[in-house]
Every structure is written in structure tokens, then in C-alpha cells.
């Protein structure tokens, strides 16, 4: 009986986390560059139940001992591009591919941006990010390209991070904000001639985006750049920089609402189970125990 109470309590905690995740997604429906988060639940280890018959153990079956929300996974799928008309707004349009070592062809990712190989390995689609830096020199990645220019001419993100170029240094504009021109590959163009000025936005390709860690303010970091396969974009990548656009949130509003309601109903069901166990224990102690 006590085991069932603990199982229901674990279910309540898990549904609370699912509810919090859905609430977070709904709250960021209009956040530029926001990537939807999904809560992944797993069961506790199963218990093998057996019975003793004439000195031998006879398997009966397996019993699950509860569930827990193990982690939250971000979905890095492309959000809708929204035209803003601002010269300091940028959006990334990317459909990056990987080669399947077994067939030699391009891997075809599913609607969630992942691929399951014949060996059971999960491979996630590489993603492109703007590279930014905080005042302490820490490097982060973001899809929020709503930038602005500081009085010193530095290109800054909406969170105050310095936008980096491919040389690893902050991008500093030589002219006015209205003179800023960037081509599809991220090259900054000379305002007078329209030719590449030599500076380029630092667009980072993260080959294994599952290694990214969400930091808030729309930025991510990696603990090990080599393990995440971080590199700068090159001409061979199927990626384009769109000036005067921003990338909207990729949250599916309908699915987020469904997840929110489902988590609430499951939480309520587990709550009623706990109330039932509480009532049963009360009778066992006060009534049966009295006999």
C-alpha cells in the first residue's frame, strides 16, 4: 500500500514539471528565437515479482515503481521568419545535413530534427547560431538576432551580449546603424561600394545540438566545444543570413495547450489516488487496528 502511495506522489511531481514546461513554452510564444522545450519522463527500475512454490521461484511478472521527469530537451526546429525592416535585425535560415556513414547519402531527419540509425543511435540535426560573448569573455549561442548598436559602435544582442565575428572578436561598425549591410553569408558590406568589408558575423554550427545547455535570456552554452562539434559556418553549409528579419518562436501553441491540460488532469488523478491511500491507511490504523 505504501509503495502505491509513493508511486502516485512521484507521478504528481512529474506532472508538475510537465506543467511547468508547458507553461514556459506558452509564456514564450512571442519570444524572438525561443526554442520549445519538451519534458522527458522515465520510469524507475522495474521490479521482478516471483512466488515461491515447493522450494522453487516462479516468475509472476514485472511491477513498475514510479515515474520521474528526467530531463528537458529543446527542439531546435526552424521558427517562422518575420520581417521587421530594421537593419540591425537578423534571422538564420538553415537546413543543415549530415552524411550517413552506412549509405554515404544525406541523413533524412524527421519532423523533430532527429534520426535513428540502424544501430539504434539517435542523431540530431546540426543547427546554426549567432555567436555572442558576455563581459566576462564567456561564449554563448543564440537564435535571437534582434540586435542593436552601442554608442561605441559595438553590435549587441537584445540581452546585452557582444556579437562576435569569425575572428572571435566583437563586431564593431565603422559607419552608422543605417549603413549596416550584410549579405546572405553573413559578410559585412562596405556602405559605399557594396563589396565585402572583410568582417563577417560569427555564425556557429553546432553539429551535436543535444550538447547545448540552456542559460536563459535566449542563449545557450556548451561545456565542451569539441564534443558538441562547434565550428564556424562555411560556404558549403545550407544556411542563409536574412537581414531585416527576426526568427519567431517555434512553439506549437496548440500542442502546448494540450500538454498543459494533460499534465493538469494527470496530476489531479494522482492526487485522488493519494487521497484514496490516505483514507485506506486511516481506516487500517483507526478501525482495523482497534480490533
Amino acid at each position: 500500500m505504501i509503495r502505491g502511495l509513493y508511486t502516485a506522489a512521484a507521478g504528481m511531481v512529474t506532472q508538475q514539471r510537465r506543467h511547468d514546461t508547458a507553461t514556459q513554452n506558452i509564456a514564450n510564444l512571442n519570444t524572438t528565437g525561443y526554442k520549445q522545450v519538451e519534458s522527458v519522463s522515465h520510469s524507475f527500475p522495474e521490479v521482478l515479482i516471483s512466488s515461491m512454490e515447493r522450494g522453487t521461484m516462479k516468475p509472476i511478472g514485472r511491477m513498475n515503481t514510479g515515474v520521474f521527469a528526467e530531463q528537458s530537451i529543446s527542439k531546435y526546429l526552424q521558427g517562422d521568419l518575420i520581417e521587421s525592416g530594421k537593419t540591425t535585425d537578423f534571422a538564420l535560415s538553415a537546413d543543415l545535413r549530415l552524411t550517413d556513414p552506412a549509405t554515404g547519402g544525406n541523413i533524412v531527419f524527421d519532423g523533430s530534427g532527429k534520426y535513428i540509425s540502424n544501430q539504434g543511435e539517435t542523431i540530431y540535426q546540426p543547427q546554426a547560431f549567432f555567436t555572442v560573448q558576455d563581459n566576462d569573455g564567456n561564449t554563448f549561442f543564440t537564435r535571437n538576432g534582434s540586435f542593436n548598436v552601442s554608442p561605441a559602435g559595438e553590435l549587441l544582442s537584445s540581452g546585452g551580449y557582444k556579437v562576435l565575428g569569425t575572428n572571435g572578436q566583437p563586431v564593431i561598425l565603422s559607419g552608422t546603424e543605417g549603413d549596416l549591410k550584410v549579405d546572405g553569408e553573413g559578410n559585412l558590406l562596405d556602405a559605399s561600394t557594396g563589396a565585402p568589408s572583410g568582417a563577417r558575423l560569427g555564425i556557429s554550427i553546432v553539429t551535436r545540438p543535444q550538447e547545448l545547455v540552456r542559460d536563459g535570456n535566449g542563449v545557450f552554452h556548451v561545456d565542451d566545444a569539441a564534443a558538441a562539434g562547434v565550428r564556424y559556418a562555411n560556404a558549403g553549409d545550407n544556411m542563409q543570413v536574412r537581414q531585416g528579419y527576426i526568427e519567431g518562436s517555434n512553439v506549437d501553441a496548440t500542442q502546448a495547450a494540450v500538454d498543459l491540460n494533460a499534465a493538469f488532469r494527470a496530476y489531479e488523478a494522482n492526487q485522488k489516488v493519494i487521497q484514496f491511500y490516505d483514507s485506506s491507511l486511516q481506516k487500517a490504523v483507526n478501525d482495523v487496528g482497534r480490533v
Side-chain angles (χ1 to χ4, degrees):
M1 182 180 294
I2 296 296
R3 181 182 289 116
L5 189 148
Y6 288 151
T7 300
M12 289 182 66
V13 173
T14 298
Q15 299 308 321
Q16 181 181 359
R17 292 180 179 175
R18 284 186 60 200
H19 186 278
D20 293 343
T21 299
T23 302
Q24 176 183 332
N25 289 331
I26 292 174
N28 287 280
L29 277 171
N30 297 315
T31 300
T32 303
Y34 178 81
K35 298 304 176 185
Q36 180 174 322
V37 181
E38 293 185 342
S39 180
V40 179
S41 300
H42 291 277
S43 62
F44 285 111
E46 294 180 334
V47 177
L48 180 64
I49 304 176
S50 302
S51 64
M52 180 72 72
E53 291 186 7
R54 300 178 181 179
T56 61
M57 299 293 294
K58 181 181 180 181
I60 297 177
R62 295 180 178 273
M63 181 179 66
N64 195 285
T65 56
V67 65
F68 68 105
E70 183 180 33
Q71 58 183 332
S72 295
I73 297 179
S74 298
K75 292 182 65 175
Y76 299 103
L77 299 180
Q78 179 81 49
D80 294 333
L81 300 190
I82 304 169
E83 186 174 5
S84 66
K86 291 181 59 179
T87 58
T88 56
D89 281 348
F90 300 92
L92 295 176
S93 176
D95 186 16
L96 303 172
R97 296 294 178 179
L98 289 176
T99 301
D100 190 341
T103 63
N106 286 333
I107 291 176
V108 179
F109 296 97
D110 62 17
S112 63
K114 66 181 179 181
Y115 167 78
I116 308 297
S117 68
N118 294 332
Q119 292 73 34
E121 178 186 6
T122 301
I123 301 175
Y124 292 89
Q125 185 174 19
Q127 299 295 328
F129 296 87
F130 296 107
T131 312
V132 297
Q133 186 182 72
D134 65 8
N135 293 328
D136 296 326
N138 299 310
T139 300
F140 299 92
F141 308 97
T142 183
R143 289 294 287 254
N144 185 351
S146 181
F147 300 149
N148 56 77
V149 181
S150 72
E154 290 182 323
L155 194 61
L156 303 177
S157 72
S158 59
Y161 297 95
K162 300 175 183 178
V163 179
L164 299 184
T166 52
N167 58 358
Q169 299 299 317
V171 174
I172 300 178
L173 305 182
S174 56
T176 63
E177 180 177 316
D179 295 332
L180 177 61
K181 299 294 182 183
V182 177
D183 65 12
E185 295 183 357
N187 296 303
L188 274 67
L189 306 180
D190 186 272
S192 57
T193 65
S197 63
R200 186 179 181 186
L201 294 177
I203 310 301
S204 291
I205 304 298
V206 182
T207 308
R208 289 175 286 279
Q210 68 270 23
E211 300 291 336
L212 288 167
V213 180
R214 188 182 293 264
D215 274 319
N217 294 323
V219 300
F220 303 84
H221 80 271
V222 293
D223 295 323
D224 189 337
V230 179
R231 61 174 177 82
Y232 282 122
N234 53 54
D237 293 315
N238 187 17
M239 184 274 304
Q240 185 180 24
V241 179
R242 302 288 298 275
Q243 186 174 15
Y245 289 80
I246 57 174
E247 181 182 356
S249 168
N250 69 349
V251 174
D252 185 334
T254 302
Q255 186 60 50
V258 170
D259 292 342
L260 187 71
N261 187 62
F264 174 76
R265 295 301 182 188
Y267 183 93
E268 189 177 49
N270 281 287
Q271 183 183 38
K272 291 181 178 180
V273 171
I274 289 181
Q275 291 174 343
F276 168 78
Y277 276 115
D278 180 65
S279 176
S280 299
L281 288 171
Q282 182 180 9
K283 290 183 178 181
V285 172
N286 296 331
D287 299 339
V288 178
R290 187 179 302 167
V291 176

